């Protein structure tokens, strides 16, 4: 099983998805159809796709740009010759272009795949609103890796106080150059330098793209069914027999999604309509939902060196099914 997959997304379940999906599959062994209604970065859906028990997996995401980004990733996997890329590249050249702060402000307004890329890969803390870098000088290494621009290399060396070896940009594929750079960083302990914050922010951006690149290894990706609905428009009668529903809505008293506001009271009333097994990830839930699993994990705050703390995430069940 390929784990750790998912489009970078605030509140992503990449680390918890294998445990959550395995628990649901074991508790509901007769279910054949899996619905991920608040799909987000798709981490849970991508694990469910790899569980033979589930004949279909439906991913729903309201944000049109994020949905478009996933469709683009799927299309590049299905039709690799349709998009220009270097030999050995996992994604087309368009994915590797550096986005400036000015471009970011325009791109995040778009509903196409480029808007989704800007909102997820290029936003601070994956909040889909604020630009990743506080200082655009941090794009210098990015420019050097993508465009082999020697002027950018020299400026980056001066800015970061490091010497960048030319062999890093020898490969034709940008992916290979970036992997060489990441290995060089690790081997030379560059991230332990005095300017550690700036180094880690650079690697963070690279790591986000690597996560998307790994999706191309998921053979079952083409089987994923996509919807783009507000959860309230998802009607119980549309659910196939022998189905299970997984919900990961915005948590109460936390920052929500970039698209729309969220009313938890209305959400719980909607949830009561279903007569199939429903599992909900949240910190807390009404008493009529049963707590069935508690997961403690280390919360890391993107863009911060201090990170977060230990967080308890609960999985609740509506009591339907065995």
């Amino acid at each position: 099983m390929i784990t750790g997959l998912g489009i970078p997304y605030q509140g992503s379940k990449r680390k918890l998805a294998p445990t959550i999906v395995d628990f649901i599959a074991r508790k509901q062994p007769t279910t054949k159809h899996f619905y991920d209604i608040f799909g987000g970065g798709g981490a849970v859906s991508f694990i469910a796709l790899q569980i033979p028990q589930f004949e279909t997996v439906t991913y729903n995401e309201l944000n049109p740009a994020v949905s478009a980004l996933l469709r683009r990733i799927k299309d590049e996997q299905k039709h690799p010759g349709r998009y220009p890329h270097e030999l050995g590249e996992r994604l087309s050249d368009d994915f590797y272009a550096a986005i400036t702060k000015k471009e970011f402000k325009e791109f995040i307004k778009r509903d196409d795949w480029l808007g989704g890329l800007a909102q997820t890969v290029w936003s601070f803390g994956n909040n889909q609103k604020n630009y990743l870098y506080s200082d655009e000088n941090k794009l210098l290494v990015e420019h050097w890796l993508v465009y082999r621009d020697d002027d950018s290399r020299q400026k980056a060396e001066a800015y970061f106080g490091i010497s960048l070896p030319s062999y890093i940009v020898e490969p034709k594929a940008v992916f290979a150059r970036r992997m060489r750079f990441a290995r060089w960083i690790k081997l030379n302990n560059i991230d332990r330098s005095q300017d550690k914050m700036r180094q880690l922010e650079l690697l963070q951006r690279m790591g986000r793209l690597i996560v998307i690149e790994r999706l191309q290894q998921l053979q079952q990706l083409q089987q994923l069914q996509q919807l783009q609905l507000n959860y309230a428009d998802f009607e119980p009668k549309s659910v196939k027999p022998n189905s299970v529903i997984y919900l990961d809505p915005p948590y109460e008293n936390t920052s929500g999604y970039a698209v729309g506001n969220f009313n938890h009271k209305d959400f719980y009333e909607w949830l009561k309509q279903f007569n199939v097994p429903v599992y909900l990830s949240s910190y807390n839930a009404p008493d009529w939902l049963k707590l069935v699993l508690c997961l403690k994990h280390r919360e890391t705050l993107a863009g911060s060196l201090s990170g977060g703390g230990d967080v308890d995430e609960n999985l609740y069940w509506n009591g339907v099914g065995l």
Side-chain angles (χ1 to χ4, degrees):
M1 177 179 289
I2 305 176
T3 61
L5 299 177
I7 295 170
Y9 204 92
Q10 191 174 42
S12 172
K13 289 293 187 293
R14 283 206 305 270
K15 294 180 180 179
L16 301 180
T19 301
I20 291 173
V21 177
D22 177 70
F23 179 87
I24 294 174
R26 286 188 292 105
K27 290 296 182 181
Q28 307 295 335
T30 62
T31 55
K32 298 180 180 179
H33 308 287
F34 189 98
Y35 291 84
D36 185 6
I37 305 302
F38 296 85
V44 170
S45 290
F46 300 143
I47 293 297
L49 280 171
Q50 301 176 74
I51 304 296
Q53 170 184 332
F54 300 126
E55 297 177 2
T56 66
V57 176
T58 300
Y59 160 96
N60 179 69
E61 170 56 35
L62 179 60
N63 187 323
V66 175
S67 294
L69 176 59
L70 180 53
R71 286 194 297 270
R72 171 64 181 259
I73 294 169
K74 289 171 64 178
D75 200 44
E76 289 207 7
Q77 184 194 59
K78 187 175 182 179
H79 306 286
R82 181 179 295 174
Y83 304 93
H85 63 279
E86 296 284 358
L87 182 65
E89 211 76 274
R90 296 185 182 179
L91 295 167
S92 66
D93 296 345
D94 295 339
F95 274 83
Y96 299 103
I99 296 177
T100 66
K101 187 173 184 178
K102 181 179 179 181
E103 291 172 330
F104 173 82
K105 290 180 178 180
E106 293 301 318
F107 290 169
I108 60 172
K109 302 174 186 177
R110 297 168 55 155
D111 290 340
D112 61 1
W113 77 272
L114 188 54
L117 186 72
Q119 290 177 23
T120 57
V121 173
W122 287 89
S123 66
F124 180 81
N126 305 125
N127 66 8
Q128 303 179 14
K129 302 173 185 176
N130 304 112
Y131 188 56
L132 177 61
Y133 298 134
S134 58
D135 185 343
E136 287 199 38
N137 281 314
K138 296 169 186 177
L139 281 176
L140 290 169
V141 172
E142 188 85 26
H143 275 280
W144 177 58
L145 292 173
V146 174
Y147 307 114
R148 295 172 170 172
D149 177 7
D150 196 57
D151 182 59
S152 293
R153 178 189 63 80
Q154 294 177 19
K155 290 178 179 178
E157 289 180 333
Y159 177 73
F160 287 104
I162 55 179
S163 179
L164 296 168
S166 59
Y167 79 87
I168 290 176
V169 294
E170 288 176 353
K172 286 187 175 181
V174 179
F175 173 80
R177 295 177 219 158
R178 288 169 51 252
M179 293 304 294
R180 278 196 180 190
F181 178 74
R183 286 194 293 270
W184 177 77
I185 285 279
K186 183 176 181 179
L187 289 173
N188 291 276
N189 291 324
I190 300 299
D191 62 333
R192 300 178 188 275
S193 67
Q194 184 177 0
D195 224 344
K196 186 175 181 181
M197 171 68 83
R198 292 190 293 201
Q199 299 297 338
L200 290 185
E201 286 180 341
L202 173 65
L203 289 177
Q204 177 193 67
R205 143 75 179 156
M206 292 176 58
R208 291 178 180 183
L209 261 183
I210 289 173
V211 168
I212 292 180
E213 288 163 345
R214 293 185 65 222
L215 277 174
Q216 302 292 36
Q217 302 175 31
L218 182 60
Q219 295 180 354
Q220 300 92 334
L221 186 59
Q222 298 304 317
Q223 301 170 21
L224 183 66
Q225 301 178 11
Q226 280 189 250
L227 297 175
Q228 188 183 316
L229 300 173
N230 187 304
Y231 80 88
D233 295 327
F234 189 83
E235 299 183 2
K237 64 182 180 181
S238 68
V239 178
K240 299 176 182 178
N242 300 319
S243 293
V244 62
I245 295 174
Y246 172 73
L247 305 169
D248 184 24
Y251 292 180
E252 294 186 72
N253 303 316
T254 62
S255 57
Y257 287 43
V259 178
N261 297 317
F262 197 85
N263 185 306
H264 286 86
K265 181 179 179 180
D266 291 345
F267 165 72
Y268 288 122
E269 288 301 314
W270 168 82
L271 195 157
K272 289 179 180 179
Q273 303 176 71
F274 291 92
N275 59 3
V276 298
V278 176
Y279 288 84
L280 166 73
S281 282
S282 187
Y283 293 144
N284 49 64
D287 293 339
W288 58 271
L289 289 170
K290 301 178 182 180
L291 175 61
V292 291
L293 183 65
C294 181
L295 299 169
K296 186 181 291 291
H297 70 102
R298 184 72 178 176
E299 178 70 19
T300 55
L301 303 178
S304 169
L305 291 180
S306 59
D310 289 334
V311 176
D312 289 327
E313 289 219 19
N314 298 323
L315 189 67
Y316 298 88
W317 172 48
N318 67 344
V320 178
L322 298 177

